[in-house]
Amino acid sequence: MVMTRRVAIGLPVLLLADSLGGAETADQRNARMRWWREARFGMFVHWGLYSGLAGTWEGKPVGDRGGMEWIQDRVKADTETYAKRAIPLFQPKPGFAREWARLAKEAGCRYVVVTSKHHDGFALHDSKVSDFDAGSVLGRDLIREIVDAVRAEGLRIGFYHSVIDWHHDQYEYARSKQLPHPLKGRPYPNGARDHAKYVEYLHAQVNELVSGYGPVDILWWDYSAQDFQGQEAWRAFDLMDRVRAKHPAIVMNNRLFRIPEAGFTGMGTDAVSARLDPKYGDFITPEQHIPATGMPGVDWETCMTMNTTWGYSEHDHAWKSDETLIRNLIDIASKGGNYLLNIGPKSDGSAPAESVKAMQAIGAWMKVNGEAVYATAAGPFEKLDWGRCTQKQLRNGKSRLYLHVFDWPKDGRLVVPLANGAGVRARLMASGKSLPVQATAGQISIAVGVQAPDRIASVIALDLDGPPSVAR
Ligand code: H79
């Protein structure tokens, strides 16, 4: 009797420990990361109370550049004042989430990461542990609407969750000199705080997000400081274990930490290094920039805005061109990374017209050329004068290079520094037409004609009988 009970209880505990401890093998990790690595392109959504403020505070523009999801900090408002101004302006319309999901799908994104809570502390779900949430304020569970819509389009879903919190009355902002808070440098308004209570709340709220919404594919934590991070600041390992207990295959970023082993060299958004011990997360997170080279052995994702703010601002008109956005996606794929491209919907949930147009332009390009992005690996060349290259391994040792031509050759001959070019076959993706290839020592020359099929990026697929050998 006693023995049976022991076995019955002991077995699941063992299995659980196995799935949580650092017991994952390289093969298991590769299998878990596979969809994310193949996806290459995701849509980030920053949306919350700040969206209704739209970069304006008490009738005045706060600025026309920079993250307006930070508006509470920019104007140094306490949470009551911020809530009083922002809540009446946050007016999600019915069906907004379906528009996002369709937009992401049309753009060719394979996943959507949405702000479940940003630094201001306002949660978009119906939270039982908070009254600063969409459930309490609007009587709606916006996360439910978003998750359902995203899944209905066949896309993966991720939550961006800020561990910084400008609302919670036990969050000890004085513990870090580096982390922002609107009341920084001022005494706690409500007397002594107990940060452990905030951490309890953080865990409980994350637990709601990973319990009530079906499969969650990504947790995108934001963020930590060198002087306050990891286990000390957030009980980070426990938090990750809690999430993995519900979703063993989930993919998480590195931002519960800020140490060299987790890919951080400092506090800047570009202070990243090609280093990540898997116990700190699955990928590193260059923000608003693309690394100069790929990082073999380290998964990475560049997140980026289309103008200069994550949360909607009516004052920021510094929109990137379609050319920049499409070439960024290609540049990132050619270095083996993912592109998480942001939209900042307005108060009612509608995406700015500029973002809709940009996503549609990317989608039109991906419809023709997506094969040269999805499930590709970093190209073999260090540098190409005319553009970028991605590659795939095919069956039987064969391989395919995708040449993304930004600057079309004026003389109609595209030169590729390939040493084993004899017998390669070239095909223009846009038309499917074969192109004549001449191989000489150390290079091939493809007769591409003088007219660029696509002024932003035209792709030529090159089929090789073996792996590519780069000429030097
Ligand atoms: O959610 C987005 C940012 O709000 C968040 N991460 C991305 C994904 C982020 N939090 N902190 N940081 C990024 C780094 C700090 C950026 C700053 Fe600024 C530059 C703080 C002050 C100047 C941007 C511009 C935010 C406020 C003004």
Side-chain angles (χ1 to χ4, degrees):
M1 210 31 205
V2 172
M3 282 303 289
T4 324
R5 284 186 64 119
R6 271 214 188 123
V7 169
I9 294 165
L11 194 59
V13 170
L14 260 177
L15 286 173
L16 196 66
D18 202 41
S19 70
L20 297 182
E24 192 180 40
T25 65
D27 281 352
Q28 287 170 328
R29 180 175 158 82
N30 289 337
R32 182 170 59 80
M33 293 298 290
R34 184 172 172 167
W35 76 264
W36 187 91
R37 290 173 180 161
E38 294 186 347
R40 284 289 173 257
F41 184 33
M43 184 169 91
F44 215 170
V45 185
H46 276 69
W47 193 55
L49 288 187
Y50 45 82
S51 308
L53 292 165
T56 300
W57 185 255
E58 295 178 341
K60 292 189 206 73
V62 170
D64 59 7
R65 294 290 182 278
M68 285 305 150
E69 71 287 353
W70 275 53
I71 190 166
Q72 185 195 346
D73 184 71
R74 293 281 295 259
V75 303
K76 305 299 174 196
D78 61 47
T79 192
E80 286 78 22
T81 309
Y82 174 71
K84 195 167 76 193
R85 299 275 188 282
I87 285 173
L89 298 175
F90 187 51
Q91 299 171 354
K93 65 179 177 183
F96 73 89
R98 248 165 309 158
E99 291 182 11
W100 300 1
R102 286 193 194 121
L103 185 63
K105 178 79 173 194
E106 189 183 353
C109 296
R110 292 279 166 88
Y111 58 104
V112 175
V113 179
V114 61
T115 47
S116 47
K117 179 190 85 162
H118 205 269
H119 307 337
D120 66 2
F122 185 79
L124 292 192
H125 68 298
D126 181 4
S127 178
K128 300 289 173 263
V129 297
S130 176
D131 53 13
F132 198 49
D133 66 312
S136 308
V137 168
L138 299 170
R140 272 167 84 176
D141 187 330
L142 301 171
I143 289 293
R144 172 94 50 214
E145 296 179 32
I146 294 163
V147 169
D148 289 350
V150 168
R151 288 233 164 266
E153 291 295 336
L155 304 174
R156 303 265 185 166
I157 184 74
F159 297 142
Y160 164 108
H161 202 77
S162 174
V163 292
I164 296 175
D165 197 302
W166 300 337
H167 172 77
H168 199 276
D169 67 358
Q170 299 301 315
Y171 178 89
E172 283 186 24
Y173 54 83
R175 296 266 295 265
S176 167
K177 293 206 178 349
Q178 295 169 321
L179 291 176
H181 193 286
L183 305 183
K184 192 134 194 197
R186 309 208 329 235
Y188 299 134
N190 53 326
R193 295 186 167 200
D194 179 358
H195 191 76
K197 288 200 178 125
Y198 167 68
V199 173
E200 270 307 306
Y201 165 84
L202 170 66
H203 285 222
Q205 200 166 56
V206 167
N207 194 51
E208 293 176 339
L209 287 164
V210 296
S211 304
Y213 301 90
V216 181
D217 301 299
I218 297 172
L219 247 165
W220 213 103
W221 310 107
D222 208 19
Y223 68 91
S224 297
Q226 290 162 302
D227 69 0
F228 202 50
Q229 59 93 39
Q231 190 66 9
E232 182 205 359
W234 326 114
R235 281 206 280 124
F237 294 120
D238 305 334
L239 191 54
M240 294 172 85
D241 283 351
R242 185 185 274 280
V243 168
R244 285 211 188 95
K246 296 277 167 66
H247 307 284
I250 200 165
V251 175
M252 288 190 263
N253 78 356
N254 61 339
R255 291 197 177 183
L256 290 175
F257 303 90
R258 197 141 206 140
I259 51 174
E261 296 84 341
F264 290 103
T265 58
M267 279 307 293
T269 48
D270 56 355
V272 298
S273 67
R275 192 173 163 194
L276 182 61
D277 182 325
K279 78 173 180 221
Y280 302 112
D282 297 310
F283 63 96
I284 66 170
T285 49
E287 179 165 327
Q288 298 286 38
H289 77 102
I290 301 173
T293 64
M295 312 181 202
V298 178
D299 292 293
W300 60 278
E301 174 189 73
T302 283
C303 57
M304 201 181 276
T305 51
M306 289 192 186
N307 48 5
T308 77
T309 181
W310 301 92
Y312 177 68
S313 168
E314 57 199 355
H315 310 297
D316 188 333
H317 308 296
W319 296 98
K320 295 176 180 74
S321 65
D322 296 345
E323 176 179 294
T324 297
L325 296 173
I326 290 170
R327 289 185 177 179
N328 280 349
L329 173 59
I330 295 166
D331 187 24
I332 289 167
S334 81
K335 295 168 181 171
N338 280 13
Y339 198 23
L340 184 61
L341 184 59
N342 183 70
I343 64 166
K346 300 176 187 183
S347 143
D348 68 354
S350 62
E354 291 86 349
S355 300
V356 173
K357 275 186 62 185
M359 283 299 199
Q360 288 169 340
I362 298 170
W365 187 88
M366 287 290 271
K367 216 171 179 144
V368 176
N369 302 295
E371 182 198 319
V373 172
Y374 301 124
T376 60
F381 306 105
E382 228 162 77
K383 201 174 176 326
L384 294 164
D385 300 332
W386 40 256
R388 300 288 184 275
C389 179
T390 53
Q391 63 176 322
K392 261 181 212 170
Q393 281 180 23
L394 307 179
R395 264 177 256 275
N396 306 326
K398 296 180 186 205
S399 67
R400 184 172 296 157
L401 297 182
Y402 297 98
L403 313 174
H404 301 251
V405 186
F406 295 171
D407 301 313
W408 198 257
K410 290 195 178 58
D411 64 358
R413 305 201 70 84
L414 188 76
V415 175
V416 188
L418 194 63
N420 59 338
V424 303
R425 290 146 325 268
R427 156 177 68 94
L428 185 66
M429 296 268 299
S431 63
K433 282 212 186 91
S434 317
L435 300 169
V437 181
Q438 260 180 21
T440 54
Q443 66 177 49
I444 63 166
S445 165
I446 311 171
V448 294
V450 292
Q451 188 71 39
D454 186 320
R455 70 172 180 86
I456 293 177
S458 312
V459 181
I460 295 162
L462 268 190
D463 276 329
L464 285 74
D465 288 328
S469 162
V470 176
R472 39 185 82 246

